[in-house]
């Protein structure tokens, strides 16, 4: 069946006709449901005076059922419309025994209702896994009833856009790489796209892992880890559609821009958009907006603009497992030393100290600062037994007042501050001003609150996705572990940490989640071979394997003055606007520098991204390396790469992140003497004219 490319093109037309018919039938059903729903509402409105309560409830339920069915029909129409533009991207001919069946694979399933046969299989279906996992020859796939073995005798991949077949790649062992090269050579969009047509074998193993309670994905820059994680969520929603829905999943997102950038992936795969939340938003919820605190963005900005040794010391200490261990020891210490117990006299009855202490310890499963009501009840019962009567209101109040006074304090911030005195390092706690916490103290405070006061868990979340895992500390992961009892997907790259003083690796995260499955992705797909090599010379990652997609060498340009440098940036922007590329990133070290460039080059389709931004747009984006994490651009300019601007370890991390955002073209500019991080890298066409000057 369909041996030649011409036969494939004819078959595509047949499928499109069947899809068109299915769309028309679905439209008719939508109209039918709409009419019936309107008629039912009108009937209820006209006859409600003669209907009893049971009739009204039954009528309401009927309308709700009709509305729900109508919504599912509308959802099916959307899937069919998407399929009509690109019905499928792959095919395998799978032979079992004497049977040989062609299996066409697309974003959604499409069944011929007349023949009762699947014409297109969803990429997440068990049989579709063979497309990603096997080449020609022996193959198998797992089903609920067992393993199905056979032979793949043909394998093809297609690019179908707007109903037209652009190309077909015939079966051979390089089928994925061929298509991958074609796809990666294309321009970037303002939204992340699905990768169902180019999923690699190692990526597929991660996506289809349905058993891991915690999946930890350590991926190099450009390995597609975020996209893989989103496709994993889409797979789990498909596989367990009776148990979990999109609303039951939560993404911990690094910023609102990133959330917008990835917002198309799941809808493209036929799933609803899933909720997202930032760590700071989570902190505000758990702390009930009772505390002001520095943001992570502000912390990093402070380290970049005015690094302070004392601040760095505080950040470093609070990011370690040693710190978490000491915090746990302190909480145990409080169990025995946080009280000023004395005997309690109620009228003629003396409640002895050992009894009170024993009752406090009996409720060890209740957070320390929440035990008082239970202890009060026990003391009241003790007194009642002694006097053999009901207690007076005065006696009850006496007990209620006495028990809380046994605590040294119930102020969680005071308790947290006391921790530093207990470990002999009171200087490690410092407020930014009288009522603003440093970011490094926010989650340790939350941890203390959870352990000592309790906090509501997010039980409605059935799967948690945490991106940029390297930017969270041991305490933060412990907080997430306490608040979210569900399965988790955690991903990131330790080489892309924006604050090296508080970073985590997959190994350190494993200590918090010892039950986690760790997967490491080494192959980078984003940047050209030349850009990857350039970034590697800035900050070497020995595990990174670049895809050999070649392009222009990165260019490093030096200037005598800032005026010349800005003029060059304007020239590069003009060249970009005349190119085929839709996205350019001008990635600065700090927000102040980004603000400066934006003021100097303002023009149509040039946008400034800040910590408050909520959307990612095509055109020229001016931002910081911090906010650019997770994003990618066809072309990237990194300005001000002088020795005065890039010389610390934090600066080096920012430079690496900025350079690894580029897909096809990378240019770095500087005034005076360039940073030592790029002394031996890139093409420098102007090196002979550069003179040392102040930036």
């Amino acid at each position: 069946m369909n041996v030649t490319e011409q036969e494939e093109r004819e078959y595509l037309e047949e499928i499109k006709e069947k899809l068109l018919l299915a769309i028309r039938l679905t439209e008719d059903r939508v109209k039918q449901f709409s009419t019936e729903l309107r008629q039912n509402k009108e009937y209820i409105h006209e006859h409600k005076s003669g209907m009893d309560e049971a009739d009204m409830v039954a009528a309401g339920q009927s309308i709700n059922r009709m509305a729900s069915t109508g919504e599912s029909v509308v959802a099916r129409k959307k899937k069919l419309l998407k399929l009509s533009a690109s019905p499928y991207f792959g095919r395998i001919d799978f032979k079992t025994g004497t049977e040989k069946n062609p299996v066409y694979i697309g974003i959604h399933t499409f069944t011929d209702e007349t023949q009762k046969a699947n014409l297109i299989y969803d990429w997440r279906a068990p049989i579709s896994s063979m497309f990603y996992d096997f080449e020609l020859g022996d193959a198998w796939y797992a089903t609920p009833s067992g393993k199905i073995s056979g032979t793949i005798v043909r394998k093809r991949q297609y690019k179908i856009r707007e109903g037209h077949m652009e190309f077909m790649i015939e079966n051979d062992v390089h089928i994925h790489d061929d298509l991958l090269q074609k796809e990666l050579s294309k321009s970037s969009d303002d939204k992340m796209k699905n990768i169902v047509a180019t999923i690699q074998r190692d990526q597929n193993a991660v996506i289809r892992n349905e058993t891991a309670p915690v999946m930890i994905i350590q991926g190099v820059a450009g390995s597609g880890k975020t996209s893989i994680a989103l496709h994993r969520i889409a797979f789990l929603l498909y596989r367990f559609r009776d148990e979990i829905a999109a609303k039951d999943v939560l993404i911990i997102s690094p910023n609102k821009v990133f959330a917008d950038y990835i917002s198309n992936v799941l809808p493209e795969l036929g799933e609803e958009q899933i909720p997202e939340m930032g760590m700071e938003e989570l902190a505000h919820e758990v702390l009930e907006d009772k505390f002001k605190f520095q943001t992570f963005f502000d912390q990093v900005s402070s380290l970049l603009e005015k690094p302070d040794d004392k601040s760095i010391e505080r950040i470093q200490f609070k990011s370690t497992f040693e710190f978490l261990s000491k915090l746990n020891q302190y909480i145990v210490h409080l169990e025995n030393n946080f009280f000023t117990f004395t005997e309690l006299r109620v009228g003629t009855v003396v409640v002895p100290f050992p009894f009170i202490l024993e009752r406090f310890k009996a409720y060890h499963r209740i957070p320390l600062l929440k035990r008082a009501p239970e202890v009060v009840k026990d003391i009241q019962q003790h007194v009642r037994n002694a006097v053999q009567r009901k207690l007076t209101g005065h006696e009850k109040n006496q007990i209620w007042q006495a028990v809380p006074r046994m605590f040294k304090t119930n102020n969680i911030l005071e308790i947290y501050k006391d921790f530093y005195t207990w470990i002999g390092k009171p200087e490690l706690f410092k407020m930014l001003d009288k009522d603003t916490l440093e970011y490094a103290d926010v989650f340790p405070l939350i941890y203390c609150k959870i352990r000592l006061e309790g906090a509501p868990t997010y039980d409605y979340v059935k799967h948690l996705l945490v991106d940029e895992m390297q930017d969270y500390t041991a305490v933060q992961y412990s907080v997430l572990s306490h608040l979210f009892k569900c399965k988790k997907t955690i991903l990131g790259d330790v080489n892309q940490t924006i604050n090296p003083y508080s970073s985590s690796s997959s190994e350190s995260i494993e200590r918090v989640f010892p039950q986690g499955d760790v997967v490491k992705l080494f192959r980078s797909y984003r940047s050209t071979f030349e850009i990857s090599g350039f970034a590697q010379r800035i900050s070497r990652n020995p595990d990174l394997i670049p895809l050999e997609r070649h392009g222009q060498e990165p260019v490093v340009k030096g200037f005598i003055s800032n005026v010349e440098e800005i003029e060059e940036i304007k020239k590069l922007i003009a060249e970009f606007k005349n190119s085929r590329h839709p996205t350019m990133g001008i990635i600065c070290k700090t927000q102040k520098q980004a603000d400066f460039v934006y003021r100097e080059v303002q023009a149509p389709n040039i946008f400034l991204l800040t910590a408050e931004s909520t959307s990612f747009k095509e055109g020229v984006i001016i931002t910081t390396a911090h906010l650019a994490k997770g994003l990618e651009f066809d072309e990237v300019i990194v300005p001000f790469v002088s020795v005065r601007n890039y010389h610390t370890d934090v600066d080096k991390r920012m430079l690496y992140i900025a350079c690894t955002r580029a897909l096809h073209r990378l240019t770095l500019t500087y005034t005076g003497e360039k940073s030592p991080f790029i002394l031996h890298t890139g093409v420098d066409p102007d090196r002979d004219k550069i003179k040392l000057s102040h930036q």
Side-chain angles (χ1 to χ4, degrees), residues 93-104:
D93 288 10
F94 185 58
K95 187 177 181 181
T96 54
T98 58
E99 285 190 36
K100 184 179 74 174
N101 297 309
V103 177
Y104 285 86

Side-chain angles (χ1 to χ4, degrees), residues 20-164:
L20 184 61
L21 178 60
I23 290 168
R24 287 171 180 164
L25 291 171
T26 306
E27 286 174 342
D28 290 342
R29 289 190 69 196
V30 170
K31 289 177 183 175
Q32 181 187 343
F33 274 110
S34 179
T35 301
E36 289 178 3
L37 191 61
R38 188 186 69 254
Q39 289 173 345
N40 274 16
K41 286 181 177 179
E42 288 173 353
Y43 176 85
I44 292 171
H45 181 72
E46 291 171 4
H47 296 85
K48 65 181 178 182
S49 61
M51 299 171 73
D52 59 23
E53 189 175 340
D55 291 335
M56 290 293 290
V57 169
Q61 290 174 340
S62 174
I63 286 175
N64 289 338
R65 282 194 299 272
M66 289 181 66
S68 178
T69 306
E71 286 170 3
S72 67
V73 175
V74 170
R76 172 169 165 75
K77 180 186 171 183
K78 288 180 180 176
K79 290 180 178 180
L80 291 170
L81 286 169
K82 187 167 275 297
L83 278 178
S84 66
S86 182
Y88 44 82
F89 56 82
R91 167 186 170 179
I92 54 173
D93 288 10
F94 185 58
K95 187 177 181 181
T96 54
T98 58
E99 285 190 36
K100 184 179 74 174
N101 297 309
V103 177
Y104 285 86
I105 301 161
I107 289 180
H108 307 300
T109 296
F110 177 55
T111 303
D112 187 333
E113 298 295 341
T114 57
Q115 299 179 9
K116 302 297 180 185
N118 264 8
L119 299 179
I120 302 169
Y121 287 83
D122 192 294
W123 67 277
R124 298 166 289 187
I127 196 169
S128 303
S129 66
M130 294 189 293
F131 179 76
Y132 303 107
D133 290 338
F134 297 99
E135 304 302 336
L136 300 185
D138 293 343
W140 60 270
Y141 66 98
T143 74
S145 57
K147 185 174 171 181
I148 307 295
S149 299
T151 307
I152 297 176
V153 297
R154 174 173 285 123
K155 188 172 179 180
R156 283 176 178 167
Q157 199 147 4
Y158 316 88
K159 181 65 179 180
I160 301 171
R161 192 195 301 268
E162 301 302 325
H164 300 288

Side-chain angles (χ1 to χ4, degrees), residues 593-607:
Q593 291 170 3
D595 294 342
F596 169 74
V597 174
Y598 181 66
R599 287 194 301 271
E600 293 295 314
V601 304
Q602 275 193 62
N605 293 322
I606 295 180
F607 308 98

